[in-house]
Amino acid sequence: MSAYGSGYAIDIPRLPVGAMFESVINWLRNNLAALFDIIGDVIDSSVAALSGFLTDPSAAQLTLIACLVIAIGLIRRGQLRLVGVLVAAYLALVLLEALTGAVTVVISSLPGALFIWAMNLFGAAYVYPPLVLVLLLLAALLVTSAVRTASRHQWILAAGVTGAWLLLLIGVYIVGVQFELFAVLIFASLAWFIAGWRLAVFTVLGFLLVISMERWAEAMSTLALVLVATGVAVVFAIPIGVIAAYSDRVSMLLKPVLDFMQTMPAFVYLIPAIAFFGVGQVPGVIATVVFAMPPGVRLTELGIRQVDKELVEAGEAFGAPDIQVLRGIQLPLALATIMAGINQVIMLSLSMVVIAGMVGAGGLGNVVYSGIARADIVLGFEGGIAVVIVAIFLDRLTAAVPRFSPAARAKRMALG
Amino acid sequence: MPAVRADKLYKVFGKRADQAVELLSDGRPRDQLRELNVTAAVIDVSFEVDAGEIFVVMGLSGSGKSTLIRMLNGLLEPTAGTVEINGTDITTLPSNELRRLRSRHISMVFQHFALFPHRTVLDNAAYGLEVRGVPRAERREKARYALDLVGLEGWEDHVPEQLSGGMKQRVGLARALTADTEIILMDEAFSALDPLIRRDMQSQLLQLQARLGKTIVFITHDLNEAMRLGDRICMLRDGRVAQIGTAEEILNAPANEYVAQFIEDVDRSRVLRASSVMEPPTAVLGPAHDPRAALRTMRDNQTSSAFVVGSDQTFVGVVRDGAIGEAGRTGATDLTGLVDPGVERVHPDTTVAELFHRSAVTPHPLPVVDDAGHLVGVIPWTALLAALASGDGAGSGISAGSPPARAEAGAGATQRPVESEEGAR
């Protein structure tokens, strides 16, 4: 065997590690195909819906967003029950419409003049029931804000949101300005509200640059992919992190698994992901989730373990059940650390974007990948710049979120 | 039924805990358990805490007192033995009932306050009721009341970080009071405070206790604090009980060398009370006594004055030899007209520190008169000095002297007037 000495090399058997993995994958694919199809469909449709919304939203979607902002304001001012009732009624009507078309019947029986002027405003050629329903919800929330709260802030919020919403609709559907420009304004105001004016300025300049490079649609598609991947990763990472914080054994078992997930070259995940889901956005999202999840788990565990033991004991000493200790004491105090974890998840997701582009995930990854494939410096560089802009925006935004945690608010009170 | 009862409690950490309990119950010291690789924190501890009592568990670090207190509310499960709260054995309770018991019957105050930094002072104080599911308005009202009790009105909307150490622990106390449990566990509650604030908090606790009559188990490593607060004190050493008794019992009759060493530095004058240093009254006469016989009694007892008591042991006053000498010339036949009824008299609960002051202005031994007006003992100068000198000397004198007075002082201890406590400072 050996080229050296007199041939006494020790014979090491060849273990079929890769083949074993492959057979596991094949077994899973053959036996759980239905499950993977469902997962694939859910991810595919959510990425598509999100990126559709980010590039070309419908009037109903925009109205729903306005409703959401006003509803959050109302809930923060103690109107949870009423908002719940309104939203439940809205959802019931939507369901009723989807199942029986009852709302359409009702609307058709009413004189068309009642609605048609409003529909014209939103560029709809005929009376569109979902839009009517969401407009009703908006009206109900506005009335609630005006009547049920004595808070001037809520009035300003409701009036401001409604005004912006009207301006947006008129601008897009009547004047005909591109939605991108409004989207930049919306992102910028989000940045201003959460992270301050510096990020708002950066957002305006950066996103305008993306528009001028004609990469807006791809950037939004990438954003959608990253957000969906982050959402899935966080949904798994936080509960796993919590369990690991409670159990030393789970924590011990988890550590090598997380190390494996993080250090395995990310490309490798693409191969089984394609085997399960074919080419497209889904394997991109799955590979991204696997690669990006570990810091979410680790920092959740760390954050919860870092909470002062005496505080947890105090909760227990007053008879709080574990879930109440977790919700009322551990999670709020660990929030800053957990958010740092989510921030890392987002950053790792973005770093996966280009790799995911190789399997046809679309977005900026595709742009960069074709840049590489065609040795096209212009294409590659512009795609890369767009990735950086989206990355900085998301990073600064999520880094600023802990400012809103109860612990941070208390700290500010202590200083002020 | 005692409010809290611990019966042969053991807490041993480690895999072979049960084996260790067996060895320990045979009297093996805990430092000879190395081969089992266990840590014995609490060994064979039994005591009862009566309702309305402040029971202090005192020990140095590593004596197992924190472990002990955590077994009383079930935060830690004993390795062996039982804990009864109001007659219910909590060691066998399922966890949800244990939680219920904690939220309704036992609250806790922590060494490092353990206030929730993300809640306001008011919401911290209301926490116990929040856990219990009391509606927001009601629990806030009760929390406000408790914060008023501890002197924190006006601070409700601040957050803990804005408060000083003493104020933080008042919030901790208010949180325990708001929970409205009859038992409060206090784990080194004042140890993290600086000495002046600590003394303040002790006084405040005693004042509150006089008003609220909670059952308090108080953990401390500070013997002076234990003596000041405790109706009874349990001294722990290396996980075992070294002695349980009132402050005076421990001072006067330390159970062993360890306790004796420990109490060497205690300021005895602030702990010992008249009832434990007084001597049985000598030269006691009835009002109908013949003056000449009275003089003879004084001479026999080598004093210049005698105590006069009525037929039912009621203290009447003091008669001095000078007064009798004068009376001899006027021909009085009994002591009625010669007694000085306005002399200084002291209560059995008066501290020795105060007795010095009173004694200095009185030419004869101080008469000790209880609430019923009976003469229960007297305190000559020599008894005061002996009380300060050492445990042994004073102890022998007292145990012979006044067992009934002792019992009475013990029973009255829970309603001990706070003023006398303050006056002693």
Side-chain angles (χ1 to χ4, degrees):
Chain A
M1 285 272 214
S2 171
Y4 305 103
S6 26
Y8 285 107
I10 296 162
D11 198 24
I12 298 169
R14 169 76 167 91
L15 289 179
V17 178
M20 269 155 51
F21 181 64
E22 188 183 11
S23 58
V24 170
I25 297 291
N26 283 333
W27 186 87
L28 286 174
R29 194 172 52 168
N30 293 333
N31 291 281
L32 297 174
L35 178 66
F36 289 118
D37 284 350
I38 295 173
I39 296 175
D41 286 349
V42 169
I43 290 176
D44 208 22
S45 55
S46 39
V47 174
L50 193 55
S51 86
F53 170 69
L54 288 173
T55 44
D56 185 18
S58 73
Q61 283 172 329
L62 289 175
T63 314
L64 204 55
I65 295 293
C67 290
L68 194 69
V69 175
I70 297 175
I72 289 173
L74 277 172
I75 289 170
R76 284 183 58 171
R77 286 168 183 85
Q79 299 288 336
L80 178 63
R81 191 165 300 170
L82 195 57
V83 170
V85 169
L86 290 177
V87 170
Y90 166 73
L91 289 177
L93 283 174
V94 168
L95 205 64
L96 191 69
E97 164 68 12
L99 294 177
T100 66
V103 180
T104 312
V105 174
V106 172
I107 291 173
S108 321
S109 70
L110 294 170
L114 259 180
F115 302 102
I116 206 74
W117 65 271
M119 293 301 126
N120 284 338
L121 186 61
F122 306 123
Y126 60 98
V127 179
Y128 181 52
L131 182 54
V132 173
L133 287 179
V134 77
L135 284 174
L136 284 177
L137 178 65
L138 180 65
L141 288 170
L142 284 176
V143 170
T144 309
S145 298
V147 177
R148 290 297 297 266
T149 64
S151 155
R152 173 158 277 160
H153 285 117
Q154 178 66 21
W155 295 347
I156 294 172
L157 179 78
V161 168
T162 314
W165 167 78
L166 266 178
L167 268 180
L168 181 62
L169 291 177
I170 291 170
V172 172
Y173 292 105
I174 296 180
V175 181
V177 181
Q178 311 92 304
F179 175 70
E180 285 102 288
L181 293 178
F182 286 102
V184 170
L185 280 181
I186 293 173
F187 283 128
S189 41
L190 193 66
W192 197 333
F193 177 67
I194 292 178
W197 66 271
R198 280 171 224 268
L199 186 64
V201 170
F202 169 83
T203 308
V204 170
L205 296 179
F207 282 15
L208 282 178
L209 182 61
V210 173
I211 291 175
S212 93
M213 293 188 299
E214 294 175 353
R215 292 293 163 222
W216 179 257
E218 287 91 345
M220 289 304 107
S221 159
T222 289
L223 189 58
L225 192 119
V226 166
L227 289 181
V228 170
T230 305
V232 175
V234 166
V235 162
F236 284 102
I238 289 182
I240 294 175
V242 168
I243 294 169
Y246 270 75
S247 157
D248 288 341
R249 189 166 300 170
V250 171
S251 171
M252 214 174 63
L253 288 175
L254 211 53
K255 196 164 274 175
V257 176
L258 294 177
D259 290 340
F260 180 92
M261 286 164 72
Q262 232 175 344
T263 47
M264 177 68 100
F267 293 92
V268 178
Y269 296 125
L270 290 175
I271 311 167
I274 291 173
F276 288 133
F277 303 106
V279 256
Q281 289 168 332
V282 182
V285 170
I286 297 288
T288 306
V289 167
V290 175
F291 180 70
M293 194 164 65
V297 178
R298 283 191 223 268
L299 284 166
T300 302
E301 180 187 348
L302 177 73
I304 287 181
R305 282 182 186 261
Q306 266 178 346
V307 172
D308 188 351
K309 222 179 111 256
E310 219 184 13
L311 292 180
V312 175
E313 205 172 42
E316 285 168 1
F318 282 92
D322 289 348
I323 187 75
Q324 210 170 341
V325 172
L326 180 69
R327 215 192 44 203
I329 300 170
Q330 290 172 310
L331 284 180
L333 293 175
L335 187 68
T337 314
I338 294 176
M339 276 312 298
I342 293 177
N343 178 284
Q344 285 306 300
V345 171
I346 292 179
M347 292 298 105
L348 285 181
S349 301
L350 264 169
S351 75
M352 274 294 287
V353 158
V354 175
I355 296 171
M358 289 169 53
V359 291
L364 295 172
N366 251 10
V367 176
V368 174
Y369 186 60
S370 7
I372 297 170
R374 293 188 232 149
D376 184 337
I377 296 178
V378 174
L379 201 60
F381 187 70
E382 287 186 353
I385 288 279
V387 171
V388 170
I389 289 168
V390 173
I392 292 179
F393 171 72
L394 285 177
D395 176 60
R396 302 297 189 272
L397 200 66
T398 46
V401 168
R403 276 200 319 136
F404 295 88
S405 74
R409 217 176 319 148
K411 195 150 275 176
R412 273 202 302 282
M413 268 176 76
L415 293 175
Chain B
M1 179 176 63
V4 180
R5 202 169 90 91
D7 188 35
K8 298 196 174 58
L9 268 187
Y10 284 84
K11 181 70 192 180
V12 181
F13 297 97
K15 285 205 173 106
R16 294 155 80 184
D18 292 329
Q19 217 175 325
V21 168
E22 242 166 70
L23 290 174
L24 288 164
S25 63
D26 291 342
R28 172 102 64 115
R30 74 169 176 178
D31 46 7
Q32 288 175 27
L33 290 172
R34 209 155 294 150
E35 77 272 14
L36 290 179
N37 200 13
V38 294
T39 314
V42 172
I43 304 161
D44 193 21
V45 171
S46 301
F47 57 79
E48 290 183 356
V49 184
D50 293 323
E53 182 181 27
I54 299 186
F55 186 81
V56 175
V57 178
M58 137 86 217
L60 298 181
S61 56
S63 61
K65 53 195 193 305
S66 283
T67 309
L68 176 61
I69 202 172
R70 278 163 179 73
M71 286 194 283
L72 297 184
N73 64 354
L75 284 179
L76 284 176
E77 200 184 331
T79 313
T82 56
V83 175
E84 282 176 22
I85 300 295
N86 299 326
T88 315
D89 180 2
I90 69 163
T91 48
T92 56
L93 282 184
S95 64
N96 57 336
E97 276 177 49
L98 188 59
R99 271 198 289 271
R100 207 182 115 84
L101 179 107
R102 275 188 219 137
S103 74
R104 290 179 191 257
H105 301 287
I106 318 172
S107 47
M108 193 160 173
V109 180
F110 293 83
Q111 177 173 12
H112 301 293
F113 324 129
L115 300 180
F116 304 122
H118 58 300
R119 291 165 152 255
T120 61
V121 166
L122 187 63
D123 285 335
N124 262 291
Y127 185 75
L129 295 181
E130 185 182 326
V131 168
R132 224 189 285 174
V134 173
R136 186 180 157 96
E138 188 187 336
R139 66 177 189 243
R140 290 194 146 202
E141 189 194 313
K142 290 194 168 153
R144 228 176 270 277
Y145 177 72
L147 286 170
D148 283 358
L149 269 186
V150 298
L152 277 181
E153 59 270 29
W155 290 88
E156 290 89 347
D157 296 325
H158 289 69
V159 290
E161 211 160 315
Q162 291 168 289
L163 272 52
S164 68
M167 289 161 86
K168 282 182 189 164
Q169 194 56 299
R170 281 179 212 201
V171 179
L173 194 56
R175 181 169 63 180
L177 292 176
T178 309
D180 201 21
T181 58
E182 65 272 19
I183 303 169
I184 299 180
L185 306 179
M186 302 184 75
D187 180 17
E188 299 248 16
F190 303 151
S191 302
L193 305 174
D194 66 53
L196 283 178
I197 309 277
R198 191 185 314 167
R199 175 148 314 163
D200 243 26
M201 292 293 289
Q202 290 164 357
S203 308
Q204 195 173 19
L205 180 66
L206 287 170
Q207 274 164 24
L208 280 171
Q209 173 65 358
R211 237 168 111 181
L212 304 172
K214 301 276 185 189
T215 306
I216 297 175
V217 179
F218 193 104
I219 296 256
T220 182
H221 62 256
D222 174 354
L223 187 60
N224 281 312
E225 182 169 75
M227 297 263 166
R228 179 160 186 216
L229 295 178
D231 294 319
R232 284 189 306 142
I233 297 165
C234 167
M235 303 261 296
L236 282 186
R237 182 202 186 182
D238 295 344
R240 292 181 195 267
V241 173
Q243 187 171 7
I244 297 182
T246 63
E248 288 154 296
E249 280 165 2
I250 288 176
L251 269 189
N252 288 325
N256 52 42
E257 192 60 24
Y258 177 74
V259 178
Q261 267 178 23
F262 219 100
I263 59 179
E264 248 172 21
D265 296 333
V266 171
D267 183 352
R268 305 170 66 88
S269 72
R270 294 186 193 284
V271 175
L272 293 180
R273 290 167 195 285
S275 57
S276 59
V277 299
M278 66 191 182
E279 293 178 354
T282 51
V284 179
L285 307 168
H289 228 79
D290 176 58
R292 259 169 307 181
L295 269 180
R296 199 159 44 246
T297 312
M298 288 183 209
R299 206 166 41 242
D300 290 349
N301 285 297
Q302 298 182 322
T303 68
S304 59
S305 55
F307 300 97
V308 180
V309 295
S311 52
D312 53 351
Q313 286 287 307
T314 320
F315 181 63
V316 179
V318 168
V319 60
R320 298 190 185 80
D321 54 0
I324 297 180
E326 215 126 297
R329 282 194 287 280
T330 56
T333 55
D334 62 17
L335 300 174
T336 320
L338 311 172
V339 177
D340 176 5
V343 294
E344 191 82 25
R345 55 186 82 181
V346 296
H347 191 267
D349 280 345
T350 318
T351 58
V352 168
E354 200 180 343
L355 291 178
F356 269 101
H357 187 70
R358 304 267 195 98
S359 192
V361 296
T362 312
H364 51 81
L366 279 169
V368 181
V369 179
D370 66 11
D371 291 329
H374 298 160
L375 178 66
V376 291
V378 298
I379 302 175
W381 258 107
T382 47
L384 283 181
L385 293 176
L388 293 189
S390 79
D392 301 338
S396 58
I398 284 123
S399 43
S402 50
R406 167 76 56 71
E408 193 172 337
T414 47
Q415 300 99 32
R416 188 162 76 219
V418 176
E419 295 74 39
S420 79
E421 193 66 35
E422 291 312 296
R425 301 281 124 205

